[in-house]
Amino acid sequence: MTDAADQSSTPDHLEAITQALNSGMFVHVRRMLQQMRPGDVAWLLESSPAPSRKVLWQLIDPDDYGEILEELSEEVRDGIIRLMAPEKLAVALEDMESDDLAYVLRDLPEQLFNQVLTEMDEQDRHRAELALSYPEDTAGSLMNTEFISLRPDVTIEVVLRYLRLHNELPEGTDTLYVVDQHNRLLGDISLASLVVQSPTTTVAEAMDTTVEAIPLTMSDTEVANLFERHDWLSAPVVDEQNQLLGRITIDDVVDIIREEGEHSMMGMAKMDDDEDTFAPVLVSARRRSFWLAINLGSALVAASVSNMFEATLSQLATLAILMTIVPSMGGIAGNQTLALVIRGMAVGHISDSNARWLLTKEALVGLFNGMLWALAISVVVGLWKGSWEIGLVIAAAMFINLSVAGLAGASIPIIMKRFNIDPALAGSMALTTITDTVGLLSFLGLATLILLH
Amino acid sequence: MTDAADQSSTPDHLEAITQALNSGMFVHVRRMLQQMRPGDVAWLLESSPAPSRKVLWQLIDPDDYGEILEELSEEVRDGIIRLMAPEKLAVALEDMESDDLAYVLRDLPEQLFNQVLTEMDEQDRHRAELALSYPEDTAGSLMNTEFISLRPDVTIEVVLRYLRLHNELPEGTDTLYVVDQHNRLLGDISLASLVVQSPTTTVAEAMDTTVEAIPLTMSDTEVANLFERHDWLSAPVVDEQNQLLGRITIDDVVDIIREEGEHSMMGMAKMDDDEDTFAPVLVSARRRSFWLAINLGSALVAASVSNMFEATLSQLATLAILMTIVPSMGGIAGNQTLALVIRGMAVGHISDSNARWLLTKEALVGLFNGMLWALAISVVVGLWKGSWEIGLVIAAAMFINLSVAGLAGASIPIIMKRFNIDPALAGSMALTTITDTVGLLSFLGLATLILLH
């Protein structure tokens, strides 16, 4: 994170292409693009303002379209697909692995989706429909169905001879799977283990039978956690009868982990994590208005709380000056707890058995922080405003608000999860509304009771 | 993210072990732990409150200590290392890959570090010192030095015979490297490609010479971006003379991507991303006080801004009620832009060539949002407070603050990066201070000028 700016090779690349593009040296740009890998071209498109993308796309060799589309982020890809004729799109999608194919197709507008499916040849259409039949965000939608399976009774020598019949193995192959005659998974054998085996060993002797297969319906988050915890490069996917249906490879898992991280970060900042960095102004402004509208609502709730104390405020303007401090501290303290719990949930650390422990702990952190910062603010306000009475009032409000913030920060994500609401998105706004309301109510309420009797 | 709660198998595991632990069935727990993989045991420790960890650790087979320590997050590992005698720790560390070894050693307190190094045998100590000689967060510190290299002139058959001399290949081997007599990298050959080659082919014929080697000094963020962009499973690391020194494997890259995501998310919420979810109360409270103190400072800056308008506020209490709305909207809009730019920097999308375009775009989004929400708030306030004059004042302040928020949100991370400050940590606090100050100054200032003339 701290040194993303010193990207050595690639920004130079970007610089050079941008310059060539701006000076209209299209032949030169075309040649440069041909020498780049699909991942780099995708990165270049994502790093370019929307108008340049159109020009760049026309300079790319159509044979590379499929591989590049596969690597693009959702919103950028959607923009580019809109530039393509359905029949060209169908051709571009043909070479994709089945999981990526489903991933792209799922996002197409219905009319284009049908057109593309019609343009595909029978085999690809069948593959696409199968991939689309699994729910999004499950192991089924992540797996690809190209893999090599072996029978247990053959020798390693036979396996090697069989492999040599291929020009190349399916992309990302690091492990071969061993199945019985009903295609039920018996074990696996990694290529690293295959190449150290004596040729006369049988697959049954060489295979690892402790392989953990992933059920079709497992959520993608859990798949990612398993890969991470066990340092897997790939894993087999099976149905309820333990029949081998496909495999999931680490490259897709890396994408999930990246997306999850971005989702939580952007969610905390009330941003749509699909938003393209270089989208046009109006598109960006529209995407952000949802949370700005919600926040306006939340700010009006806070204003209506202080509106209840108009009489108090007009008698003592000092209260108006100080009234933003307690809500602000409550917002920060509550968001700290919220982030901790959201992270813990994402990596699967939090379950029924430890949720109560965590809730108690965070409530205690809130109480402790409440005491600490109540003391601090009473001293500051006492010295600044020369009134220890106001100091006492703000201290009491701080203590109440930080205690509530700890409890709310820990319980909001746990409750939201129960109701299937995503706490990374909605959590911090709900929390801030609570800490603003409680902060203002307790500060202005106590001030009215104590100072204006 | 949305479905982290439905982790099926592992929380059951956690539940069962927690119950067994609470009922004192230690023999049973010990047996369960023996059947778990190191990654799962590490996950169990991380999911357990601090007191249970101590008991669990004593029930784990000491032979597994090294592999488990390798998988633990920093703060949890530090807590456990404090429970271990230096000589036991030295034994536990012996089996680690060199990059993980350096990673653990680097965090030890100096005295323990020296004790552990003394306890190690010569070869391990040498390996550790070499790994420690590379700066943290660079390719050098990520690489491990166990790999298999080949000469170009041998045949595949000879390679296979050579590989069979091994019991197993170094962990995570998916590719073999081809070097000349000076150990300079010539190319590589993946195991997937090796097994489809005819035995009489030479390595020189079969190898891929387009392999992109990673320089020793490349930052870990950039390494992660390259892996992600090219779907690599591993990559060779070379020095300036193109000599092969080691390789980086995807499992370490996955950890970097996970950590980066957590760092940005936790940073936005003003949390230390090392904080252990199940740390003791006082440890947690202390860790959080830094940002609470900074925020208190920021809140006091805002209070001192409104303090300048004490006379205005005492004349018109309605202003006090409305004055939190404009800063709040500015904070959200600015943080949206900030998050977008931080994400763009993290994945390397933002460079000198497009920074200006982005800055202009975000400033325009700010202007546009400013107009939109100025209109909205003036209508709301005009209707609520029955004063179109106040509505006009708040509209003008909203327009000013949202325009500033867009500009500040885009430029703060770019400027901070120049000065090597981490925007994910410090950015949102700097931004909020700006939007609070500008929001209050413009609202109360305009109100003083226009309403109280």
Side-chain angles (χ1 to χ4, degrees), chain A residues 104-415:
Chain A
V104 172
L105 284 175
R106 222 182 277 275
D107 292 329
L108 292 184
E110 200 183 331
Q111 202 196 343
L112 186 56
F113 174 90
N114 290 330
Q115 274 179 297
V116 169
L117 228 52
T118 318
E119 293 286 345
M120 282 185 166
D121 69 33
E122 180 117 19
Q123 198 195 340
D124 280 318
R125 185 162 55 239
H126 179 72
R127 213 161 55 96
E129 281 165 348
L130 185 67
L132 283 166
S133 68
Y134 303 111
E136 219 179 331
D137 304 329
T138 62
S141 75
L142 277 177
M143 74 181 181
N144 58 64
T145 47
E146 297 87 33
F147 56 84
I148 292 187
S149 57
L150 309 170
R151 285 299 166 79
D153 48 2
V154 296
T155 62
I156 300 296
E157 190 170 12
V158 174
V159 173
L160 283 172
R161 244 185 287 141
Y162 166 71
L163 293 179
R164 285 184 193 125
L165 299 177
H166 295 74
N167 273 324
E168 52 181 346
L169 303 187
E171 214 180 312
T173 298
D174 71 303
T175 299
L176 314 177
Y177 300 105
V178 187
V179 295
D180 67 11
Q181 67 272 37
H182 303 296
N183 194 34
R184 282 182 301 226
L185 185 66
L186 299 173
D188 70 6
I189 178 163
S190 70
L191 292 179
S193 143
L194 185 78
V195 294
V196 299
Q197 300 293 332
S198 141
T200 55
T201 312
T202 64
V203 166
E205 290 163 339
M207 73 182 177
D208 177 4
T209 54
T210 66
V211 49
E212 204 173 316
I214 291 185
L216 257 184
T217 52
M218 185 182 272
S219 78
D220 58 355
T221 312
E222 197 178 354
V223 170
N225 287 340
L226 283 177
F227 266 77
E228 213 180 332
R229 215 178 293 153
H230 299 139
D231 294 344
W232 288 339
L233 296 179
S234 68
V237 179
V238 295
D239 64 12
E240 282 164 13
Q241 283 76 47
N242 198 32
Q243 286 184 319
L244 181 63
L245 296 180
R247 71 193 161 108
I248 295 177
T249 49
I250 183 82
D251 55 320
D252 295 318
V253 172
V254 165
D255 292 342
I256 293 170
I257 293 175
R258 171 71 79 184
E259 279 164 23
E260 274 183 8
E262 289 182 352
H263 174 77
S264 320
M265 192 271 273
M266 302 289 267
M268 291 306 276
K270 305 286 138 255
M271 272 291 274
D272 192 332
D273 54 331
D274 285 338
E275 183 168 327
D276 163 16
T277 313
F278 296 95
V281 172
L282 286 185
V283 174
S284 286
R286 201 181 52 227
R287 271 192 180 256
R288 297 184 205 175
S289 29
F290 176 72
W291 283 110
L292 285 167
I294 301 273
N295 185 63
L296 186 60
S298 166
L300 286 171
V301 168
S304 65
V305 171
S306 41
N307 195 46
M308 290 157 50
F309 300 95
E310 190 162 8
T312 308
L313 286 166
S314 57
Q315 273 180 271
L316 205 54
T318 305
L319 296 180
I321 291 158
L322 300 175
M323 78 180 188
T324 54
I325 297 174
V326 172
S328 160
M329 292 293 279
I332 298 286
N335 267 305
Q336 290 181 329
T337 297
L338 188 76
L340 188 80
V341 176
I342 289 175
R343 181 191 63 169
M345 285 176 150
V347 291
H349 281 166
I350 296 173
S351 64
D352 289 344
S353 69
N354 55 22
R356 182 174 300 175
W357 194 94
L358 186 64
L359 213 69
T360 313
K361 177 210 144 194
E362 287 301 318
L364 288 174
V365 171
L367 283 178
F368 181 84
N369 271 337
M371 286 190 283
L372 181 69
W373 298 103
L375 189 68
I377 192 66
S378 64
V379 172
V380 171
V381 165
L383 292 175
W384 183 21
K385 292 289 168 189
S387 158
W388 295 100
E389 248 187 331
I390 299 185
L392 183 72
V393 165
I394 201 169
M398 185 75 91
F399 177 73
I400 293 172
N401 204 27
L402 291 197
S403 304
V404 169
L407 209 57
S411 51
I412 285 175
I414 293 175
I415 294 169

Side-chain angles (χ1 to χ4, degrees), chain A residues 79-95:
Chain A
I80 283 179
I81 281 177
R82 251 177 272 131
L83 304 172
M84 295 175 76
E87 61 277 12
K88 289 229 171 120
L89 188 56
V91 173
L93 298 183
E94 268 165 15
D95 302 329

Side-chain angles (χ1 to χ4, degrees), chain A residues 1 3-8 10 14-15 37 39-40 43 46-47 49 71 160 163-164 166-167 169 191-192 195-197 199 210 212 221-222 225 228-231 233 250-251 254 257-258 260 262-266 268-271 273 275 277-279 282 284-285 288-289 292-293 295 303 307 310 314 317-318 320-321 323-324 328-329 332 335-337 339-340 342-343 345 347-349 351 353-354 357-358 361-362 368 373 384-385 417, chain B residues 1 3-8 10 14-15 37 39-40 43 46-47 49 71 160 163-164 166-167 169 191-192 195-197 210 212 221-222 225 228-231 233 250-251 254 257-258 260 262-265 268-271 273 275 277-279 282 284-285 288-289 292-293 295-296 303 307 310 314 317-318 320-321 323-324 328-329 332 335-337 339-340 342-343 345 347-349 351 353-354 357-358 361-362 368 373 384-385 417:
Chain A
M1 206 58 207
D3 26 33
D6 57 55
Q7 304 261 344
S8 55
T10 29
L14 180 60
E15 202 82 48
R37 298 170 194 227
D40 287 326
W43 170 85
E46 287 173 354
S47 306
E71 300 285 338
L160 283 172
L163 293 179
R164 285 184 193 125
H166 295 74
N167 273 324
L169 303 187
L191 292 179
V195 294
V196 299
Q197 300 293 332
T210 66
E212 204 173 316
T221 312
E222 197 178 354
N225 287 340
E228 213 180 332
R229 215 178 293 153
H230 299 139
D231 294 344
L233 296 179
I250 183 82
D251 55 320
V254 165
I257 293 175
R258 171 71 79 184
E260 274 183 8
E262 289 182 352
H263 174 77
S264 320
M265 192 271 273
M266 302 289 267
M268 291 306 276
K270 305 286 138 255
M271 272 291 274
D273 54 331
E275 183 168 327
T277 313
F278 296 95
L282 286 185
S284 286
R288 297 184 205 175
S289 29
L292 285 167
N295 185 63
N307 195 46
E310 190 162 8
S314 57
T318 305
I321 291 158
M323 78 180 188
T324 54
S328 160
M329 292 293 279
I332 298 286
N335 267 305
Q336 290 181 329
T337 297
L340 188 80
I342 289 175
R343 181 191 63 169
M345 285 176 150
V347 291
H349 281 166
S351 64
S353 69
N354 55 22
W357 194 94
L358 186 64
K361 177 210 144 194
E362 287 301 318
F368 181 84
W373 298 103
W384 183 21
K385 292 289 168 189
K417 191 70 92 187
Chain B
M1 206 60 209
D3 26 32
D6 58 52
Q7 304 263 342
S8 54
T10 30
L14 179 60
E15 202 81 49
R37 299 173 193 225
D40 288 326
W43 169 85
E46 288 173 352
S47 306
E71 301 286 338
L160 283 173
L163 293 178
R164 286 185 193 127
H166 296 73
N167 273 325
L169 302 187
L191 292 179
V195 295
V196 299
Q197 299 293 332
T210 65
E212 203 172 316
T221 311
E222 198 179 350
N225 287 340
E228 213 180 330
R229 214 178 293 152
H230 299 138
D231 294 344
L233 296 179
I250 183 83
D251 54 322
V254 166
I257 294 174
R258 171 71 79 181
E260 273 182 9
E262 289 183 353
H263 174 77
S264 321
M265 192 271 273
M268 293 304 277
K270 305 288 138 252
M271 272 291 274
D273 53 332
E275 183 169 327
T277 314
F278 296 95
L282 287 184
S284 286
R288 296 182 205 176
S289 29
L292 285 168
N295 185 63
L296 185 61
N307 195 45
E310 190 162 7
S314 55
T318 304
I321 290 158
M323 76 181 189
T324 53
S328 160
M329 292 294 278
I332 297 286
N335 267 307
Q336 289 180 329
T337 298
L340 188 80
I342 289 175
R343 181 192 64 169
M345 285 175 150
V347 292
H349 281 166
S351 64
S353 68
N354 55 22
W357 194 95
L358 187 62
K361 175 211 145 193
E362 288 300 319
F368 182 83
W373 298 103
W384 183 22
K385 291 290 169 188
K417 192 69 95 188

Side-chain angles (χ1 to χ4, degrees), chain B residues 292-442:
Chain B
L292 285 168
I294 303 273
N295 185 63
L296 185 61
S298 166
L300 286 170
V301 167
S304 65
V305 170
S306 42
N307 195 45
M308 292 157 50
F309 299 95
E310 190 162 7
T312 309
L313 286 166
S314 55
Q315 273 180 271
L316 206 55
T318 304
L319 296 180
I321 290 158
L322 299 175
M323 76 181 189
T324 53
I325 297 174
V326 173
S328 160
M329 292 294 278
I332 297 286
N335 267 307
Q336 289 180 329
T337 298
L338 188 77
L340 188 80
V341 176
I342 289 175
R343 181 192 64 169
M345 285 175 150
V347 292
H349 281 166
I350 297 173
S351 64
D352 289 345
S353 68
N354 55 22
R356 182 173 300 175
W357 194 95
L358 187 62
L359 213 68
T360 313
K361 175 211 145 193
E362 288 300 319
L364 289 174
V365 171
L367 282 177
F368 182 83
N369 271 337
M371 287 190 283
L372 181 68
W373 298 103
L375 189 68
I377 193 66
S378 65
V379 171
V380 170
V381 166
L383 292 176
W384 183 22
K385 291 290 169 188
S387 157
W388 294 100
E389 249 188 329
I390 299 185
L392 182 72
V393 167
I394 202 168
M398 184 76 91
F399 177 73
I400 294 172
N401 203 28
L402 292 196
S403 305
V404 169
L407 210 56
S411 50
I412 284 175
I414 293 174
I415 294 169
M416 283 189 163
K417 192 69 95 188
R418 280 246 161 112
F419 291 96
N420 261 323
I421 302 167
D422 179 4
L425 267 184
S428 79
M429 194 61 82
L431 176 95
T432 312
T433 308
I434 293 176
T435 49
D436 278 358
T437 307
V438 172
L440 287 172
L441 259 183
S442 53

